[in-house]
Amino acid sequence: MVDEFRWPLRVYYEDTDTGGVVYYANYLKFFERARTEWLRSADITQQDLIKNDQVMFVVKSAAIDYHAPAKLDDQLEIGVRVEKLGKATVNFSQQAWRHSDHKQELLCSGLIRVGCVHAVTFRPVPMPLTMLEKINDLYTLGGMAHHIAATN
Amino acid sequence: MVDEFRWPLRVYYEDTDTGGVVYYANYLKFFERARTEWLRSADITQQDLIKNDQVMFVVKSAAIDYHAPAKLDDQLEIGVRVEKLGKATVNFSQQAWRHSDHKQELLCSGLIRVGCVHAVTFRPVPMPLTMLEKINDLYTLGGMAHHIAATN
Amino acid sequence: MVDEFRWPLRVYYEDTDTGGVVYYANYLKFFERARTEWLRSADITQQDLIKNDQVMFVVKSAAIDYHAPAKLDDQLEIGVRVEKLGKATVNFSQQAWRHSDHKQELLCSGLIRVGCVHAVTFRPVPMPLTMLEKINDLYTLGGMAHHIAATN
Amino acid sequence: MVDEFRWPLRVYYEDTDTGGVVYYANYLKFFERARTEWLRSADITQQDLIKNDQVMFVVKSAAIDYHAPAKLDDQLEIGVRVEKLGKATVNFSQQAWRHSDHKQELLCSGLIRVGCVHAVTFRPVPMPLTMLEKINDLYTLGGMAHHIAATN
């Protein structure tokens, strides 16, 4: 079992701005892509969560530090790690790394707090147990095993 | 009655790319903002169309010519003119103009064909008559008066 | 003199996602538009800063709380207030408010730390004094008057 | 040698709108990503073209037909084929296909005309010969061999 997930992506023209670097809001897109693929790595899709469990994830807060700019054609890797797992919320730490030759450089790091809500009412609801179990099979997640035990 | 609608907008960092100009896909955003405001000028909102009439507009085709690039801080004006009105489709001609001092420069022009569809099934449906009447009160629209007469 | 700037904007299709609400990264676009217009209200454009002073502003960090979702057609107002002014950095507090009838609702709030850098080297540089003076003529900015005095 | 290039991509929340489908402007982003990867497949990056040859590609026109909507989590494949090669322009035909099980569905098709311009003046310039040769080594491109011969 691993405790971190990494998702590769490339910087295209659409991601950059006239300053010559990736526009600052777009790191939040990159982070969301990586969280989506982290879920998919455990065989969970957001479409299924909506259809089968009537739940969606919404971002409650995001704290981002910009260390160095990414540029056109850069090959990035986005990290996803669960820092804290509540009944209806997950705290992620995420990073954007640039890969070139044999080194990696940290460009951006963030803490993203995500909440599980009902897909229609947007009210907070507990995360589906089957989702938690699938994730727990793959990843080492602080208090997650305990949480699942407590939920049963 | 007028036959053209114009909507002003400003170019921000988010609209540009590392080439130093507005990214080519973003003119479609500008055109859609102006079509939305053209509807709103006739007291029609897309939220109301969904809620009251269960219809949405989807773009069927877009043909865009890029003449000159817009840049950061440019003040643009987006033109909207109805070229052809069918029962369930509207053909718009649209332009992006740059305004500076006492002249205007054509940056981008397009023909956008929009279809009215059911908000859930996405099947083509006729445009709501109340919507057509509101627009007809404001704008000179080729065959629109005839179309409304024929629909009654 | 006032201590807050407000910039109105409308939510369009481009801003929303399939969850039915404004995509979380787009509030950073809204905040940046408002900061740009706050500068413009003091007769400063980012193009001029690049051309005349060889400086640009880059975001160093952003901490965002999402309180309630904005939706299609919502009329928003974005707040800009300077919380702290350093020699080469500005801390802004920003908010997204939804306006309807006679009330306003807070949807999103954030602290954005912006740094002044050389337009080519991206190295931190002091903000141009002429820029600070123009802003100081319009806005009440905590330590700004003191800072300008100290810089002279 | 092949005459078509395909690039896979996934639909994320950022790509969709409140209508529940991919926002119409975003297919132009998908098409541009695929053209960029088509160049990269021939060992050409846009950063290198700017630095080494002082040229950039700009889109001169785009004609897009929208056949069926893509949705969240869809796996797409974007096609790139050179239809016509001039001295300073390339006409591409591009498609967005949705892949599911053992079938593919055409969602969107377009003709994109791209021009080679000087990176600073934005004036049309011939495409670098080394670029054409690299592409010609990989892809069957209508009149390209002839064009390269004629250029020598």
Side-chain angles (χ1 to χ4, degrees), chain B residues 50-140:
Chain B
I50 294 173
K51 282 181 198 155
N52 303 337
D53 300 286
Q54 289 80 52
V55 302
M56 286 173 47
F57 286 100
V58 296
V59 175
K60 307 297 287 178
S61 67
I64 313 288
D65 287 301
Y66 299 93
H67 308 296
K71 300 193 172 184
L72 184 66
D73 287 331
D74 278 353
Q75 180 69 43
L76 305 186
E77 217 171 68
I78 310 297
V80 180
R81 187 197 304 256
V82 171
E83 292 297 331
K84 193 181 157 206
L85 191 82
K87 279 199 157 64
T89 58
V90 190
N91 291 10
F92 293 98
S93 69
Q94 297 204 251
Q95 306 78 32
W97 304 90
R98 173 166 45 212
H99 281 259
S100 55
D101 306 329
H102 299 297
K103 63 181 165 57
Q104 64 175 16
E105 184 184 4
L106 180 62
L107 304 182
C108 178
S109 54
L111 292 169
I112 313 287
R113 193 160 151 268
V114 168
C116 185
V117 299
H118 190 276
V120 176
T121 65
F122 274 75
R123 288 217 171 157
V125 290
M127 284 178 279
L129 191 60
T130 51
M131 188 199 99
L132 294 177
E133 286 172 341
K134 281 181 178 177
I135 291 171
N136 199 44
D137 284 349
L138 272 185
Y139 297 100
T140 311

